[in-house]
Amino acid sequence: MWFVIFAEDHPDSLEARKRARPAHLERLKALQNDGRLLVAGPCPAIAELDPGVLGYTGSVVIAEFDTLQDAEQWANDDPYWEAGVYKKATVKPFNAVLPN
């Protein structure tokens, strides 16, 4: 089943995000290589592709996992936690309806 993972950043965590980004992307690419990634990306602090020094407010990942617990464990193992980027994550089941 698909699950949406919405993680919220700590304020002023842009530099920590930049340092941990390669390890974060490596995990996402592994999901992609397994055909289990629908979409992933950051949420800019402003409505710009590059928010500059304002950074990001969080991240969204929609990926396929066997169970809610598997999705939660995957989210909890993200390098952004250890780097101090994330302050909270919400994981919920997701039904992809459109496009089909």
Side-chain angles (χ1 to χ4, degrees), residues 33-44:
N33 291 341
D34 289 344
R36 297 174 34 208
L37 182 64
L38 184 62
V39 67
C43 300

Side-chain angles (χ1 to χ4, degrees), residues 41-63:
C43 300
I46 58 173
E48 297 289 336
L49 289 177
D50 181 357
V53 297
L54 295 177
Y56 300 90
T57 61
S59 301
V60 174
V61 174
I62 300 177

